[in-house]
């Protein structure tokens, strides 16, 4: 029986094809741009490799595009046709694809955990569990999953560095910032192309309000993410956030034009980077020119998708930013209709937190900040279920805070700022400090010399 790069039995027997499959596995872990080429080579040579078909289907579903469901369904059909010749470990992946297509990605996660029970050093299963939990907003599950298999790894396991990168990210998302930074740095020593681990350390600096340290970490390490698929734009997005917190708007816009929005795709991850960055800039009073236009045009074409509420909320940002009221209404109504009949886990998330968040964003776009604050504040408690990271969801947190300020709800805004600080290990970024100063000066206009036009724009509570 042939063995793969992780020392596991594999039903592929041709050495050349097995090499390609090993490149797929490492490519998934490294977010490498060439992964799809390697998978294409595997399936061209061995279309009856059920595990390869399952990975194709799962990868397509992770793109969050309804028009690609038939591709995933075809992959499942081909995988099932080869089910009898697949090994027990490989069959679990096929079942995992079927579960997601049935509308239950949490079952996909459970099946990957079943793989890890018997084969804890299957780094691909670890990454799939991690990535699916990330989409589902299950940070604690991400951490528990990684920590369950960590003891089984030897230092020279080819997936060890990538495992550390996932551990770093899970530690960061569960608030263990010091350990996350150390673990992320170790991940990079072990796997120099581990962009996910590198990016976990960037998250630490974001969450602890240390933008300068974040820039120091990223600058000079560009090689660690240059090989990536569009994940590289997300790392540039993190760098742009750091410049934003330092008030370096020109650097933010330069990165937006040259890196973050280098490819003007409608991939939801690219759209989320771009829309959230433009919205954050506007909340700081920075003019973004006509940059919303191309985003709004693309987002208007995605209103019927419904694959992921995380994607939908960012399409909505693009439509609100571009002042597309008809398309905004269309998307909000579609989210509400999906949420009214939640037969899948994706639709359950349309119901909660989707509906409240979407209505809040719509009201924000209409300048109805009292309504926007009401809905956005309501969605806060469950927004984690929309998936993504704390840093990604923070754009909605900022819109909640700024809507509350504009509506004059200072005490409620202060409570949110306090909760935000608690989640950040007691630290605060310049965004939050500026909002606190605004409230202080508005409350005490005679004694606070900082009272100026900005403060006057905050109405009385
Ligand atoms: Fe990130």
């Amino acid at each position: 029986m042939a063995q793969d790069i992780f020392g596991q039995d594999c039903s592929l027997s041709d050495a050349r094809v097995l090499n390609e499959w090993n490149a797929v596995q490492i490519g998934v872990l490294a977010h490498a741009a060439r992964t799809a080429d390697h998978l294409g080579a595997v399936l061209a040579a061995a279309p009856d490799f059920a595990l390869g078909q399952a990975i194709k289907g799962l990868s397509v579903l992770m793109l969050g595009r309804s028009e690609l469901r038939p591709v995933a369904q075809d992959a499942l059909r081909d995988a099932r046709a080869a089910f009898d010749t697949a090994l027990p470990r490989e069959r679990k992946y096929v079942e995992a694809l079927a579960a997601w297509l049935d509308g239950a990605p949490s079952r996909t996660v459970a099946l990957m955990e079943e793989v890890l029970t018997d084969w804890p050093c299957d780094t691909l299963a670890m990454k799939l569990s991690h990535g699916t939990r990330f989409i589902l907003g299950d940070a604690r599950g991400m951490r528990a999953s990684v920590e369950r298999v960590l003891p089984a790894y030897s230092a020279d396991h080819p997936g060890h560095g990538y495992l550390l990168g996932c551990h770093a990210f899970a530690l960061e998302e569960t608030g263990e910032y010091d350990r996350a930074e150390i673990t992320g740095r170790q991940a990079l020593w072990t796997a120099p192309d581990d962009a996910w681990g590198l990016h976990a350390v960037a998250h630490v600096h974001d969450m602890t309000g240390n933008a300068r340290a974040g820039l120091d970490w990223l600058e000079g390490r560009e090689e660690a993410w240059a090989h990536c698929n569009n994940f590289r734009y997300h790392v540039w997005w993190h760098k742009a956030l750091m410049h934003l917190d330092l008030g370096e708007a020109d650097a933010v816009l330069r990165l937006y034009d040259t890196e973050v929005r280098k490819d003007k795709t409608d991939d939801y991850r690219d759209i989320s980077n771009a829309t959230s960055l433009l919205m954050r800039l506007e909340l700081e009073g920075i003019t973004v020119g006509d940059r919303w236009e191309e985003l709004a045009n693309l987002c208007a074409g995605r209103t019927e998708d419904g694959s992921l509420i995380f994607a939908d909320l960012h399409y909505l940002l693009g439509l609100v930013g571009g002042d597309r009221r008809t398309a905004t209404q269309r998307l909000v109504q579609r989210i509400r209709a999906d949420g009214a009949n939640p037969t899948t886990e994706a639709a359950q998330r349309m119901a909660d937190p989707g509906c409240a968040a979407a209505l809040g964003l719509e009201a924000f776009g209409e300048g109805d900040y009292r309504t926007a604050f009401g809905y956005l504040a309501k969605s806060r408690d469950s927004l984690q279920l929309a998936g993504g990271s704390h840093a990604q969801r923070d754009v909605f947190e900022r819109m909640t805070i700024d809507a509350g300020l504009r509506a004059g709800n200072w005490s409620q805004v202060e409570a949110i700022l306090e909760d935000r600080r608690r989640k950040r290990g007691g630290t605060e970024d310049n965004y939050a400090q500026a909002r606190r100063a605004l409230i202080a000066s508005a409350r005490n206009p005679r004694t606070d010399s900082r009272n100026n036009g900005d403060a006057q724009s905050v109405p009385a509570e």
Side-chain angles (χ1 to χ4, degrees), residues 195 198-199 218 225 231-240:
L198 166 125
H199 144 273
L218 290 176
W225 76 88
F231 183 65
R232 67 186 186 277
Y233 301 136
H234 180 70
V235 182
W236 286 114
W237 173 80
H238 274 282
K239 190 172 184 196

Side-chain angles (χ1 to χ4, degrees), residues 134 169 172-173 196 199-200 202-203 231 234-235 237-238 241 273 388-392:
F134 175 71
F169 185 73
E172 181 278 323
E173 286 294 301
W196 190 250
H199 144 273
H203 270 267
F231 183 65
H234 180 70
V235 182
W237 173 80
H238 274 282
L241 292 188
N273 294 331
S389 64
H390 281 297
Q392 286 175 309

Side-chain angles (χ1 to χ4, degrees), residues 8-36:
Q8 303 169 133
D9 287 349
C10 180
S11 60
L12 288 170
S13 53
D14 185 298
R16 188 184 61 80
V17 183
L18 188 57
N19 273 342
E20 290 287 348
W21 173 243
N22 288 335
V24 171
Q25 298 199 91
I26 295 298
V28 169
L29 296 169
H31 297 250
R34 293 204 57 204
T35 310

Side-chain angles (χ1 to χ4, degrees), residues 302-337:
R302 304 303 307 171
T303 57
E304 302 308 309
D305 192 293
S307 295
L308 283 174
I309 186 59
F310 181 88
D312 282 342
L313 292 178
H314 285 91
Y315 299 145
L316 205 45
L317 276 188
L319 296 173
V320 165
D323 201 20
R324 304 291 177 90
R325 301 223 170 171
T326 303
T328 296
Q329 287 172 359
R330 193 165 68 232
L331 178 48
V332 171
Q333 290 311 314
R334 205 229 73 238
I335 291 170
R336 296 180 80 179

Side-chain angles (χ1 to χ4, degrees), residues 151-168:
Y153 275 70
S154 61
D156 61 351
H157 185 288
H160 186 229
Y162 305 105
L163 176 74
L164 292 177
C166 289
H167 193 210

Side-chain angles (χ1 to χ4, degrees), residues 176-364:
E176 288 238 22
Y177 300 115
D178 291 343
R179 284 181 66 198
E181 180 176 357
I182 290 168
T183 306
R185 286 176 178 269
Q186 288 176 324
L188 261 287
W189 294 345
T190 314
D193 65 350
D194 179 25
W196 190 250
L198 166 125
H199 144 273
V201 177
H203 270 267
V204 169
H205 294 307
D206 181 296
M207 290 298 284
T208 53
N210 199 343
R212 181 56 61 197
L215 289 176
D216 288 345
W217 167 248
L218 290 176
E219 281 169 3
R221 289 191 167 84
E222 290 80 4
E223 281 301 302
W225 76 88
H227 66 283
C228 287
N229 52 28
N230 63 340
F231 183 65
R232 67 186 186 277
Y233 301 136
H234 180 70
V235 182
W236 286 114
W237 173 80
H238 274 282
K239 190 172 184 196
L241 292 188
M242 291 159 185
H243 284 299
L244 180 63
D245 197 58
L246 294 170
E248 297 166 357
D250 289 348
V252 178
L253 290 169
R254 192 164 53 248
L255 277 180
Y256 180 93
D257 293 335
T258 60
E259 302 290 355
V260 176
R261 202 58 190 149
K262 189 175 188 175
D263 283 343
K264 294 185 169 43
T265 77
D266 65 354
D267 180 294
Y268 85 85
R269 284 89 43 100
D270 299 343
I271 291 284
S272 75
N273 294 331
T275 56
S276 80
L277 192 51
L278 292 191
M279 183 57 72
R280 287 164 187 243
L281 282 160
E282 288 196 339
L283 293 179
E284 299 309 312
I286 296 159
T287 303
V288 302
D290 62 359
R291 290 178 178 84
W292 283 115
E293 279 305 299
E294 61 98 6
L295 293 173
N297 289 339
L298 293 173
C299 293
R302 304 303 307 171
T303 57
E304 302 308 309
D305 192 293
S307 295
L308 283 174
I309 186 59
F310 181 88
D312 282 342
L313 292 178
H314 285 91
Y315 299 145
L316 205 45
L317 276 188
L319 296 173
V320 165
D323 201 20
R324 304 291 177 90
R325 301 223 170 171
T326 303
T328 296
Q329 287 172 359
R330 193 165 68 232
L331 178 48
V332 171
Q333 290 311 314
R334 205 229 73 238
I335 291 170
R336 296 180 80 179
D338 287 359
N341 183 29
T343 55
T344 64
E345 291 176 5
Q348 288 165 13
R349 284 162 164 77
M350 298 293 169
D352 181 29
C355 285
L359 289 165
L361 296 184
E362 182 181 33
F364 193 98

